[in-house]
């Protein structure tokens, strides 16, 4: 075990990297910065002085002061771990080589998973990514050889409520992975990837997508590389009438349509209504409603004079609840 002297203000990058015999470390209030990978491959438990203005510890885990960033998880810990609801970002290498970690619960507050964050966490068998997540870093789940299933539960189409970047080699060498669930009826636009878009997903694994969306995934960037795309029912996306919290959304009519179509919805309690239209690539082409509505039944007509024929999607959002309806424009 080590107690950092009170004269120390900076712990540099790789300072205690691979110190596998270190059991605990006490960080004084004087430390203002901790470098990248300072404690990676490390079994030590963390104890941060409560007067430190930049860092904190909770249940032996190292965080920044307000615990919005999880910096380092001890390799020695085993079993399951639930990410606290305060965490929005998981730092680079935070769980790297935590082979005893058998399950991880990612709270809906998490937006970013950093580079190498879960690399070589071989004990993980399944993974559900929250719909708050927007970024999965390079090598994030590299060599997670125990993973058999990954679910991307993104319920929206554009940032900040959907994964838009999956980093290079993020799921490379996940040799047991056999299925990937993409529960958005519109393929999330992954063309914003930073480089070659090689995510590491084995193209032979089964990609499960919502009913009616297979043809969209088959032509979408990155998704089209999957050889086995299978449709399945996702609750909330396939009913003729979708109830979304205090809003019921009906299918548009007519559908297919040539120049315009009418969309109906019912509000059962006063609520803010967001109604937008996206193309098959996930780009917004129209914002139809964006205001608080009182109780009542409503309809709005969407005119498509400048748009080309094809499939479009009407998305209604009520807080974190999302409803999507597929529409076909034929000119």
């Amino acid at each position: 075990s080590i107690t950092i002297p009170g004269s120390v203000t900076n712990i540099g990058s790789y300072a205690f990297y691979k110190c596998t015999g270190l059991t605990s470390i006490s960080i004084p209030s004087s430390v203002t910065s901790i470098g990248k990978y300072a404690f990676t491959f490390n079994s030590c438990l963390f104890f941060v002085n409560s007067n430190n203005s930049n860092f904190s510890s909770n249940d032996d885990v190292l965080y920044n002061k307000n615990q919005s960033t999880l910096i380092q998880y001890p390799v020695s810990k085993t079993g399951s771990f639930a990410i606290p609801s305060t965490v929005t970002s998981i730092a680079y290498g935070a769980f790297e080589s935590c082979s005893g970690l058998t399950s991880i619960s990612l709270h809906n507050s998490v937006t970013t998973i950093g580079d190498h964050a879960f690399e070589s966490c071989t004990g993980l068998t399944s993974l559900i990514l929250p719909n708050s997540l927007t970024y999965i870093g390079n090598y994030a789940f590299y060599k997670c050889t125990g993973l058999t299933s990954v679910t991307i539960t993104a319920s929206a189409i554009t940032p900040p409520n959907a994964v838009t970047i999956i980093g290079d080699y993020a799921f490379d060498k996940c040799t047991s992975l056999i299925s990937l669930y993409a529960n958005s009826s519109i393929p999330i636009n992954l063309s914003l990837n930073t480089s070659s878009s090689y995510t590491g997903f084995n193209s032979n694994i089964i990609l499960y997508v919502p009913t009616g969306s297979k043809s969209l995934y088959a032509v979408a960037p990155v998704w089209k590389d999957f050889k086995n795309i299978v449709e399945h029912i996702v609750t909330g996306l396939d009913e003729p009438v979708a109830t979304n919290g205090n809003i019921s959304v009906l299918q548009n009519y007519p559908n297919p349509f040539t120049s315009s179509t009418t969309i109906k919805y019912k509000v059962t309690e006063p609520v803010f209504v967001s109604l937008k239209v996206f193309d098959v690539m996930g780009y917004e082409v129209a914002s139809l409603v964006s205001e608080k509505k009182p109780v009542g039944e409503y309809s709005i007509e969407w005119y498509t004079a400048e748009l080309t024929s094809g499939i479009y999607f009407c998305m209604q959002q009520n807080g974190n609840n999302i409803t999507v309806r597929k529409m076909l424009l034929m000119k």
Side-chain angles (χ1 to χ4, degrees), residues 130-134 153-163 317 319-320 322:
N131 60 21
S132 56
L133 191 63
T134 63
T153 59
S155 57
I157 301 153
T158 55
N161 295 315
V163 175
Q317 183 169 3
N320 290 326
I322 304 293

Side-chain angles (χ1 to χ4, degrees), residues 302-324:
W302 178 44
Y303 294 93
T304 60
E306 298 179 359
L307 297 176
T308 59
S309 298
I311 296 174
Y312 293 85
F313 295 87
C314 178
M315 185 188 80
Q316 187 278 313
Q317 183 169 3
N318 174 17
N320 290 326
N321 297 315
I322 304 293
T323 300
V324 179

Side-chain angles (χ1 to χ4, degrees), residues 261-322:
T261 186
T262 300
I263 302 166
K264 282 190 173 184
Y265 61 96
K266 184 197 309 187
V267 178
T268 58
E269 291 184 17
V271 67
F272 185 87
V273 178
S274 172
L275 204 63
K276 297 181 178 181
V277 179
F278 297 84
D279 63 18
V280 294
M281 296 301 293
Y283 293 105
E284 181 181 328
V285 297
S287 179
L288 304 179
V289 182
S290 183
E291 61 182 335
K292 188 172 182 178
K293 290 285 190 181
V295 174
E297 294 187 6
Y298 300 89
S299 65
I300 186 167
E301 192 161 7
W302 178 44
Y303 294 93
T304 60
E306 298 179 359
L307 297 176
T308 59
S309 298
I311 296 174
Y312 293 85
F313 295 87
C314 178
M315 185 188 80
Q316 187 278 313
Q317 183 169 3
N318 174 17
N320 290 326
N321 297 315
I322 304 293

Side-chain angles (χ1 to χ4, degrees), residues 196 210 219 255:
S196 64
V219 297
N255 191 41

Side-chain angles (χ1 to χ4, degrees), residues 112-317:
T112 302
I113 295 178
D115 297 349
H116 303 273
F118 291 93
E119 180 177 333
S120 297
C121 288
T122 55
L124 291 177
T125 57
S126 64
L127 184 66
I128 298 178
L129 303 177
N131 60 21
S132 56
L133 191 63
T134 63
Y135 177 83
I136 300 172
N138 300 328
Y139 296 89
F141 296 94
Y142 181 68
K143 290 186 178 179
C144 286
T145 54
L147 272 181
T148 59
S149 174
V150 174
T151 301
I152 299 178
T153 59
S155 57
I157 301 153
T158 55
N161 295 315
V163 175
T164 55
I165 296 178
I166 298 178
D168 293 337
Y169 301 90
F171 292 90
D172 193 30
K173 291 186 168 56
C174 292
T175 53
S176 298
L177 191 59
I178 58 174
S179 60
L180 171 65
Y181 291 81
N183 289 343
S184 174
S185 61
I186 304 174
I188 298 164
N189 186 359
L190 294 178
S191 62
L192 300 177
N193 252 15
T194 53
S195 56
S196 64
S197 295
Y198 179 69
T199 59
F201 281 121
N202 185 335
S203 61
N204 291 316
I205 72 174
I206 300 174
L207 172 63
Y208 290 95
V209 300
T211 302
S213 64
K214 179 178 178 179
S215 59
L216 303 181
Y217 278 86
V219 297
V222 182
W223 301 110
K224 65 183 179 181
D225 295 333
F226 288 90
K227 298 177 181 178
N228 301 309
I229 302 178
V230 177
E231 293 185 348
H232 75 123
I233 295 176
V234 180
T235 302
L237 295 180
D238 301 288
E239 295 84 359
V241 178
T243 300
N244 183 357
N246 300 319
I247 303 172
S248 297
V249 184
L250 300 174
Q251 183 67 53
N252 64 299
Y253 69 92
N255 191 41
F257 60 100
T258 56
S259 60
S260 68
T261 186
T262 300
I263 302 166
K264 282 190 173 184
Y265 61 96
K266 184 197 309 187
V267 178
T268 58
E269 291 184 17
V271 67
F272 185 87
V273 178
S274 172
L275 204 63
K276 297 181 178 181
V277 179
F278 297 84
D279 63 18
V280 294
M281 296 301 293
Y283 293 105
E284 181 181 328
V285 297
S287 179
L288 304 179
V289 182
S290 183
E291 61 182 335
K292 188 172 182 178
K293 290 285 190 181
V295 174
E297 294 187 6
Y298 300 89
S299 65
I300 186 167
E301 192 161 7
W302 178 44
Y303 294 93
T304 60
E306 298 179 359
L307 297 176
T308 59
S309 298
I311 296 174
Y312 293 85
F313 295 87
C314 178
M315 185 188 80
Q316 187 278 313
Q317 183 169 3

